[in-house]
Amino acid sequence: MFKEIKTIDLILMDIKMPVMDGHEAYVEIRKINSKVPIIAQTAYSLSQDIGKINETGFNAYINKPLNKQTLLDLINKTI
């Protein structure tokens, strides 16, 4: 989808997905577009999980369950 739609302004990426995890998807997206902001969303909040998110290069992350206002604030801060 990302290859076809060039007007995407922000990606909210789940870290745990069945076919490709969020870290692998991040790498593939960065091959196409190095500038689009990508926010990781995860239910895993251990320090090593957050460390891996930061190492991958996500612009930000948010823990699940998502809080609407926290998400909106993070989006506004990121874009």
Side-chain angles (χ1 to χ4, degrees), residues 3-42:
K3 289 179 183 180
E4 289 84 34
I5 303 172
K6 303 297 183 192
T7 59
I8 293 175
D9 295 319
L10 177 115
I11 297 171
L12 187 60
M13 176 73 66
D14 197 344
I15 293 299
K16 182 146 174 87
M17 299 184 293
V19 176
M20 176 186 299
D21 76 19
H23 299 282
E24 294 168 314
Y26 174 93
V27 170
E28 293 304 310
I29 289 169
R30 286 294 180 236
K31 290 177 183 177
I32 300 165
N33 184 321
S34 63
K35 296 186 177 164
V36 64
I38 305 175
I39 298 174
Q41 62 174 345
T42 183

